[in-house]
Amino acid sequence: MAGKIWSGRFRQSTDKLMEVFSTSINFDQKLFYADIKVNKAWAQALVDVNVYSQQEADLVCKTLDEIEKDFSDGKLEFSSSDEDIHSANERWLTERLGDIGARIHTGRSRNDQVVTDFRIYIREELTEIKSAVTNIQQNLVNLGEKHVETIFPGQTHLRQAQPVSLAHYLLSIFFQLERDKARCKEALKRINQMPLGSGAIAGAAFDIQRDKLAVTLGFDKILENSYDATSDRDFVTETLYICSSILLHLSRISEDFIIWSSEPFRWIEIDELYATGSSMMPQKKNPDSLELLRGKAARMIGNQVTILSLMKGVPTAYVRDLQEDKEPVFDSLEQTELCLKIFNGVIETLKIKKEKMLQSLDPALYATDMADYLVRKCVPFRKAHSIVGEIVAVAEHADIPLNKLTLSQIQKVSPLFESDVFDLFQPLASIQKRNIKGGTGPVSIKNQLDNAKTLLKA
Ligand code: ARG
């Protein structure tokens, strides 16, 4: 039973299918670089507890650098006895250094090693994701600045609601993504805590200086309790939630863009760079980039559910089930990064059809402004709402646009309306009434743009 790092008490070799079934090397090799980093820091820490002389630790670190280079050059091969990337690295080190290599696993378990590597991996990927989000935000601001007074029919329930500035919509995406970035930052405080030194469950029996080790490995602090450190995966659930949240946002925006670029709307056009055609219908230009973004959101949610289900019933401490936490995270982080890049491209190349947007504005969109007009003449809003509702019904029954009613038709419902009622039916006039903080008025939008730019600078 040679080869396995735990083979001492075994008299039989593992079943071949069991070997294939239990190995994680085909996916956890993504942790290779983090594992090298962790091994180097651990070798140095072992000097303080007299397991290694400084010379030996230097030799271990140099050899780990060589292993890293050989791995990058594709010169290293996995063996069927490698259960995971941690055992493979240990094997390569031991093959090169004999007992000096074999001493690396002093006071350590793969249970603390794997979560240390994993946390390093995740913190690096989340940092990438944050910067991909920032690129999109920058492009949203750039586009928003050009469209403060581009007005389209804002929809609720997918029905025309009120005129809004296109920049207002674009900034809504900015602020959604800003919260996702804040979630990353906040989660990183918890992710970037070091489990190493926790051993299998009880803590290493060698007096490793964990705080010093944490500094070497770029962790903000150590995890205080070895039982917790090797057991919990809340940093994984948080990571997957961040990916789900980002994709939920991108998915809904994609849905908007798919609708807005469809034939009945044509408010925007997706660039050919991000569209595909049909194998049968020559005229087609389909928004596949956006449809895939919507689809990927489902995948992110699936990954999230996987980890929640994985954790709910396992006993506290390491169990092999936890190995199943890797693939959903690798997948979600990689897909999220990819989705952010694609979405960024869509935004950068998006064509806005201002005229089409304007033409789509239904005069009924100003009904709220008509009610507000009465409110300014001291009519209680609830009454004003009902009066304007009646006027809308008159227009609808006569099958004419709301602004094409005559003043006398309007006055028949409420004599409080005067000829200036027709001034209400102006998109710009309508949004200009909404310069309240957060509103769609140009002054408000310019403030939001300024705030967005300040956030980007921070
Ligand atoms: N590859 C494992 C994982 O990702 C770590 C191995 C720990 N195995 C063990 N039997 N204690 O969870």
Side-chain angles (χ1 to χ4, degrees), residues 188-418:
L188 275 166
K189 288 187 203 159
R190 288 176 290 274
I191 291 163
N192 204 26
Q193 300 186 7
M194 190 192 73
L196 201 60
S198 296
I201 177 169
F206 298 82
D207 207 10
I208 298 287
Q209 296 175 43
R210 291 187 67 210
D211 293 300
K212 187 171 143 194
L213 189 56
V215 174
T216 309
L217 285 171
F219 283 101
D220 297 329
K221 55 183 284 212
I222 63 166
L223 282 156
E224 297 281 346
N225 179 301
S226 62
Y227 213 137
D228 168 46
T230 50
S231 169
D232 204 7
R233 294 293 185 274
D234 56 358
F235 70 100
V236 175
T237 46
E238 270 195 88
T239 300
L240 292 179
Y241 179 69
I242 290 167
C243 296
S244 302
S245 175
I246 291 174
L247 259 294
L248 278 184
H249 286 144
L250 298 191
S251 176
R252 287 185 79 183
I253 299 153
S254 296
E255 175 66 359
D256 292 341
F257 286 1
I258 289 168
I259 294 170
W260 295 1
S261 61
S262 68
E263 285 86 358
F265 285 76
R266 293 192 194 281
W267 293 351
I268 57 172
E269 200 183 319
I270 311 301
D271 197 87
E272 288 189 5
L273 289 173
Y274 298 99
T276 63
S278 153
S279 60
M280 187 185 188
M281 300 164 281
Q283 85 283 11
K284 293 279 267 172
K285 183 183 153 205
N286 296 326
D288 291 27
S289 52
L290 300 168
E291 290 171 338
L292 276 167
L293 285 168
R294 210 170 47 184
K296 302 278 189 190
R299 186 160 154 188
M300 297 304 102
I301 295 164
N303 287 338
Q304 170 99 65
V305 172
T306 298
I307 189 73
L308 294 173
S309 318
L310 183 69
M311 296 311 293
K312 72 162 274 297
V314 288
T316 304
Y318 183 82
V319 281
R320 194 62 179 273
D321 314 42
L322 301 190
Q323 181 168 288
E324 291 292 318
D325 67 354
K326 310 281 170 330
E327 284 171 293
V329 172
F330 294 147
D331 185 54
S332 281
L333 289 170
E334 275 164 25
Q335 290 298 320
T336 300
E337 269 181 65
L338 185 59
C339 288
L340 287 166
K341 284 183 188 152
I342 293 292
F343 184 74
N344 192 41
V346 171
I347 292 286
E348 259 177 341
T349 55
L350 196 65
K351 289 183 192 67
I352 310 293
K353 308 279 197 59
K354 272 188 184 192
E355 282 309 308
K356 278 276 179 196
M357 287 182 174
L358 268 183
Q359 285 162 17
S360 306
L361 291 160
D362 181 333
L365 280 166
Y366 305 95
T368 312
D369 290 331
M370 287 178 77
D372 290 345
Y373 174 102
L374 293 180
V375 167
R376 292 191 170 95
K377 297 191 174 187
C378 292
V379 181
F381 180 78
R382 198 42 61 214
K383 261 193 195 155
H385 183 288
S386 148
I387 291 168
V388 177
E390 258 180 71
I391 297 172
V392 168
V394 170
E396 218 169 79
H397 288 134
D399 200 18
I400 47 174
L402 191 58
N403 61 340
K404 293 291 180 252
L405 290 171
T406 61
L407 184 58
S408 70
Q409 279 173 305
I410 295 174
Q411 283 175 334
K412 222 187 249 167
V413 184
S414 169
L416 287 172
F417 282 111
E418 293 170 76

Side-chain angles (χ1 to χ4, degrees), residues 24 28 83-84 86 110-111 114 318 320 322-323 326:
S24 51
D28 71 12
E83 260 186 2
D84 49 32
H86 324 292
R110 279 176 300 159
N111 299 357
V114 66
Y318 183 82
R320 194 62 179 273
L322 301 190
Q323 181 168 288
K326 310 281 170 330

